[in-house]
Structure formats: structure tokens, C-alpha cells
Amino acid sequence: RASAMSGPAGQAPAHLSATQPRGGGPAVPLPTHDVLSSLRLLQAQPIPPAAPGTPRRTMLDVQDTLLTQVREKHGPGATLVQQDADTFELLDLLYNEIEREVQRDAPAVDLLVRLQVPVAQAALHDREFFLRPQHPAREFLNSVAESGATWLGEGDSDPQLVLKLHHAVDRVVADYDGNDEVFESANNDVQAHFRAMARKAEVAERRHVEAARGKDRLEVAKTRAATVIEGALQGHAPQKFVQALLDQVAPGAATRVLT
């Protein structure tokens, strides 16, 4: 697993043990509300940009940063209770699955990283998080990931969608404090934009089909007009002015009469 805290080349990254104290002292399991308080502080901190060529922050990196902070405050024996440690491990697996579907150069990649701490809080708040696909935090996470899975590059991007996603994530990071309505509101805004995009695409497709049908009807009308004119002339040569006018309406009709 890649991590910004990885060790020597070729070795797996060393993450802090979530349930074992540092230094071999007695373990001091932290209540979940203390973990959530530390995560809220972490949520307010800006994420340092990843250096070129280095992996982005993972959920296990978030856990490591959290453990470092709580051990500075509560002592080296501070640990997560097993259920909270399991939650971080499941979140890491969830993020790994999502990242497999997201294009590496999509704006959604950085947005998903910014959502790690709020999503971790949501999962710790609600023990049904992994059992509820319709959980507001999971639905918003899916919406952001979907934009990255369908990303085709800067040339085919939708600037309004990118701006909408950034604003939605900004709102979640700034306002989420355990109230899932923040995720729900952000997701509703993004989904409204998706629906508007779908309607525009549907209208454009319908206009394209109607234009093609109109072109076909025009060709049929021209052919029918040429046939009617040819029958009306019955081999008589029209005057030059009339012939020029007929060629504009039904090209070739007058010429076929003369041949």
C-alpha cells in the first residue's frame, strides 16, 4: 500500500499501531468522543500538497496523524479501541476500491483526499455506515468519485461541475460537525448539476435526431418535386429563366427533361 509515510524503497509503509501503545507501556484506550474531538481539530488543518511523484494521503495516514496527536495529549499509551481501529481499516479498504475507478488526473482525486477526515468522523458517529449504501456521507463520496470515474481530461471537462464539486467539498470540510445533513445538502447540489447535464445532453441529442430527420424529409421533398416538375414539362424545354428557377427548387429536373 502506497503512503506518504512509507519507508525505504520496496518496503511496505510502517503505520502506527492503533491498538498497541507506543513504548510498551500500559494501553489507554480512548473513548470514541475523544477520537472525534481530535478528528475535528485535524479537519480544520490544511492538507499539505503532495510533492510531485509522492503518493497522496491515505486513510491509514489519517489514522497515524490522529494517533500522533492523541499520544502527545494523552500520553504514549493512548490507543484506539478495537472497533474504531476496525473502522479506519474498513475506510482504507473502501477508499482503495474507489481510487481504482477514478482517473488519476481527475480533480476528484484531491477532493476525495480532502473528504477523508469528515468521512472518518461520519463512520465513527454511525456504526451502520458500512451497512447503509444510502448513508449521506457515502452517497456524497460516490458522487465525487463518479465525476472522477467519467473524467476524460481537461479538454472535455465541465468547468461548472468542477467548481460545483469544489464548493460542495469546501462546505463539508468547513461545516461538518456530526450532522449528516451537511453531506446530504452537498450531495443534492451535485446531483442537481448531474441532472441538469443529463437534460442538456438529452435535448442536444433530440435536436441532432430532429435535424437528421429534417434533412431526410428535405431530400425526399426535393426528389418528389423533381418528379412532379419533370412530368409537368413532358419533354418541353422551359425558358432559360424558368429553367434556372427550377434548378434552384429541384436541381436536375429540367435537365433530365431535355435528355
Side-chain angles (χ1 to χ4, degrees), residues 35 55 70 78 95 108 111 127 132 139 154 156 189 215 259:
V35 176
V70 298
Y95 255 78
L111 296 178
R127 298 302 181 181
R132 292 175 53 201
E139 289 193 325
E154 292 290 347
D156 296 309
D189 284 350
K215 185 177 180 181
T259 58

Side-chain angles (χ1 to χ4, degrees), residues 121-165:
Q121 289 189 69
L124 291 170
H125 268 293
D126 186 355
R127 298 302 181 181
E128 300 293 314
F129 177 88
F130 296 103
L131 302 178
R132 292 175 53 201
Q134 288 77 37
H135 189 286
R138 289 186 60 179
E139 289 193 325
F140 183 54
L141 199 63
N142 287 338
S143 295
V144 176
E146 180 183 345
S147 74
T150 58
W151 177 258
L152 298 176
E154 292 290 347
D156 296 309
S157 66
D158 178 356
Q160 291 183 340
L161 173 60
V162 174
L163 186 63
K164 179 72 69 176
L165 289 168

